[in-house]
Amino acid sequence: MMKKVIFLVDMQSFFASVEKAKHYHNLNRPLVVSGDPTRRSGVILAACPLAKKSGIQNGERLWEAEQKCPGLVTVPPHMQEYIDNSIVITEILESVTDLVEPYSIDEQFMDVTHSQKLFGDPYEIASYIQHEIHSKLRVFARVGIGENKVLAKMACDNFSKKNENGIFFLKKEELEDTLWPLPIEKLFRAGGKMSQHLRRRAIRTIGELARTDVNKIKKEWGIHGQVLWMNAHGVDYSPISLTSTNGQKAIGNGMTLPRDYSEKAEIKVVLLELCEEVCRRARLAQVMGQTVSLGVSGASYEIRTGFHRQQKMAEPTNMTMEVFRYACDLLESFWDREPIRRLHVSLSSLHSDQTIQLSLFEEQRGENIQLGYVTDELVKKYGKTAVIRAASLLPASQVKERSAKIGGHYK
């Protein structure tokens, strides 16, 4: 039986690379993609390798990056262009194999097991993909190779990005020499908090976790611990999925506010708009959710405040006002009355919308649910601002500005 060959193809500094391909006269200058520096969106979304050499990191504020690199070139994000480039990359990968699974806008898994008969060995296929992407988009791709998705991902994140040619084959039989010496933070899905827990148990490297009795790991951290132990051994049974987005566990939406919001009435205006968008996405996916979550971040960068809480609703729903009512309950219960800078709402415990639980005490529930779908059709036909709630006419509203954006950034 032929051993599987899985790729994780990752674009180097994707947003920045797309911008450099346009601003070719800045090829030899450090460049970053950043939101509006006059607003809270003025953070680094992507930095080219030259900018990273100056110590600039994704997520830091623009003024901090400019202090590290005075000659920094800053360009705003163009999300539609990044999406278009991502689609072209998918088409290139699909010219090699029909088994392609998008993992994010700049990362995609692909199964090239049976493509070797046409395109050569894994290294030849990886080089071919790099050449095709660079020749069409002037974007450099890194390729992690393994016999499953976990190995391919860890090959890319830990080794391909450091190799000059951007290619690395992480083989299961060589893990003791390649992967196991790395710090535990480098293990796929370990996360910051989990890595801290492991270090407190004197598990500092991936190898130390791999050599620990799996029963002890499972007893301490349950299924998640067992999955991490399996990752350390390079074990993963998940196939390349062509419908990976169909099984999503939650639908959410959030935004960083343009200024500090300290009045409850103002916060609720934005909260209603977020609930509206979350429920619209749920209806588009033909699902309802029974658990609503609210995340709030305080206005201070120095002292982290805020909360993330969730509440189970009486029935699954995708009705805006029902979700909004529960979100408001969470706000009333856990908000410390300090100014906030970010809000996030999500809907989980998803169910199909084909079965609706009608109530003896709410005769119009079915009609109210259907109203949301009718409104969606109007928005689809005439635009996001064709039908808005009266609250969105208030100064605190962000709906009109956000209607001109994709993923929180201008198109």
Side-chain angles (χ1 to χ4, degrees):
M1 184 175 180
M2 185 179 292
K3 185 177 290 188
K4 288 275 188 181
V5 179
I6 308 298
F7 284 7
L8 188 279
V9 184
D10 170 62
M11 304 304 115
Q12 181 185 55
S13 306
F14 184 46
F15 294 0
S17 296
V18 172
E19 296 297 340
K20 274 205 167 184
K22 291 160 44 184
H23 304 278
Y24 59 89
H25 53 282
N26 288 320
L27 283 176
N28 297 319
R29 297 182 62 188
L31 178 146
V32 297
V33 178
S34 173
D36 186 351
T38 64
R39 299 166 59 94
R40 291 192 190 276
S41 57
V43 298
I44 305 300
L45 301 175
C48 75
L50 288 176
K52 289 180 179 178
K53 286 183 179 180
S54 300
I56 295 173
Q57 298 179 346
N58 293 350
E60 70 178 313
R61 286 170 283 185
L62 180 57
W63 66 267
E64 294 175 317
E66 290 173 335
Q67 287 184 336
K68 294 178 180 179
C69 186
L72 191 65
V73 176
T74 305
V75 296
H78 300 91
M79 294 305 298
Q80 188 60 58
E81 293 183 19
Y82 309 149
I83 294 171
D84 293 341
N85 275 260
S86 183
I87 292 172
V88 172
I89 292 167
T90 302
E91 292 171 349
I92 292 172
L93 302 186
E94 288 178 340
S95 70
V96 176
T97 174
D98 59 342
L99 298 175
V100 177
E101 176 185 337
Y103 186 64
S104 68
I105 193 171
D106 63 342
E107 292 179 286
Q108 304 194 47
F109 287 108
M110 57 189 302
D111 186 337
V112 300
T113 306
H114 299 290
S115 301
Q116 297 176 80
K117 296 178 181 179
L118 292 175
F119 294 92
D121 66 37
Y123 294 98
E124 291 174 321
I125 298 175
S127 297
Y128 171 77
I129 289 171
Q130 286 180 323
H131 176 267
E132 289 297 297
I133 293 174
H134 192 269
S135 63
K136 292 184 179 180
L137 302 175
R138 297 181 69 181
V139 174
F140 180 64
R142 283 86 61 100
V143 183
I145 310 172
E147 64 181 75
N148 55 52
K149 289 160 69 173
V150 163
L151 286 174
K153 174 65 174 172
M154 292 192 292
C156 189
D157 289 349
N158 296 313
F159 302 102
S160 299
K161 294 180 179 181
K162 299 176 182 178
N163 277 2
E164 187 174 344
N165 67 358
I167 301 172
F168 190 85
F169 197 152
L170 185 58
K171 300 178 180 179
K172 190 181 291 187
E173 61 270 19
E174 299 174 356
L175 292 183
E176 190 169 352
D177 297 322
T178 55
L179 185 70
W180 287 9
L182 299 181
I184 193 64
E185 290 80 4
K186 299 295 184 180
L187 180 63
F188 181 49
R189 296 193 183 102
K193 288 186 178 180
M194 188 62 184
S195 296
Q196 290 178 8
H197 292 317
L198 291 168
R199 283 187 172 274
R200 291 192 188 103
R201 301 296 190 276
I203 299 174
R204 304 177 186 87
T205 68
I206 297 176
E208 288 174 342
L209 175 63
R211 295 185 185 98
T212 304
D213 185 346
V214 66
N215 293 316
K216 293 182 179 179
I217 297 296
K218 189 175 181 180
K219 183 178 180 180
E220 184 78 21
W221 294 290
I223 295 298
H224 181 55
Q226 182 178 359
V227 169
L228 290 178
W229 185 89
M230 292 172 64
N231 289 349
H233 283 272
V235 177
D236 177 32
Y237 301 109
S238 59
I240 297 296
S241 173
L242 306 183
T243 57
S244 58
T245 57
N246 290 350
Q248 65 187 110
K249 296 180 180 179
I251 296 174
N253 193 22
M255 73 168 296
T256 300
L257 301 169
R259 56 178 173 80
D260 295 352
Y261 276 46
S262 54
E263 298 295 327
K264 187 190 301 181
E266 289 188 324
I267 297 170
K268 286 187 174 181
V269 169
V270 179
L271 188 58
L272 176 59
E273 292 171 351
L274 290 176
C275 291
E276 185 84 86
E277 179 63 19
V278 168
C279 289
R280 186 189 68 81
R281 293 179 182 178
R283 293 190 293 266
L284 185 64
Q286 297 184 312
V287 295
M288 294 181 170
Q290 195 165 0
T291 301
V292 60
S293 302
L294 176 63
V296 171
S297 297
S300 173
Y301 284 99
E302 286 70 32
I303 302 175
R304 299 293 183 181
T305 60
F307 66 87
H308 187 279
R309 293 289 188 274
Q310 64 183 33
Q311 186 174 0
K312 188 173 183 178
M313 297 180 287
E315 301 290 347
T317 186
N318 55 25
M319 290 174 56
T320 298
M321 295 311 296
E322 287 186 359
V323 174
F324 177 62
R325 177 164 58 85
Y326 280 90
C328 286
D329 287 345
L330 291 170
L331 182 70
E332 294 281 359
S333 299
F334 298 103
W335 181 41
D336 59 8
R337 296 337 187 239
E338 293 295 324
I340 68 172
R341 63 181 174 88
R342 182 170 176 79
L343 281 171
H344 187 275
V345 176
S346 66
L347 200 57
S348 58
S349 303
L350 302 180
H351 306 270
S352 170
D353 66 352
Q354 299 304 305
T355 302
I356 300 174
Q357 179 66 49
L358 299 179
S359 172
L360 294 173
F361 307 101
E362 298 179 57
E363 296 182 2
Q364 294 184 322
R365 189 166 192 265
E367 288 82 352
N368 290 336
I369 290 175
Q370 190 59 37
L371 180 62
Y373 291 91
V374 174
T375 304
D376 293 343
E377 288 299 317
L378 293 173
V379 169
K380 181 180 178 180
K381 186 173 183 178
Y382 298 107
K384 289 186 176 181
T385 57
V387 181
I388 60 175
R389 296 183 181 273
S392 293
L393 299 175
L394 296 171
S397 170
Q398 296 297 308
V399 71
K400 289 186 177 180
E401 180 171 351
R402 286 171 64 83
S403 66
K405 296 180 177 181
I406 297 177
H409 304 285
Y410 289 104
K411 303 174 184 179

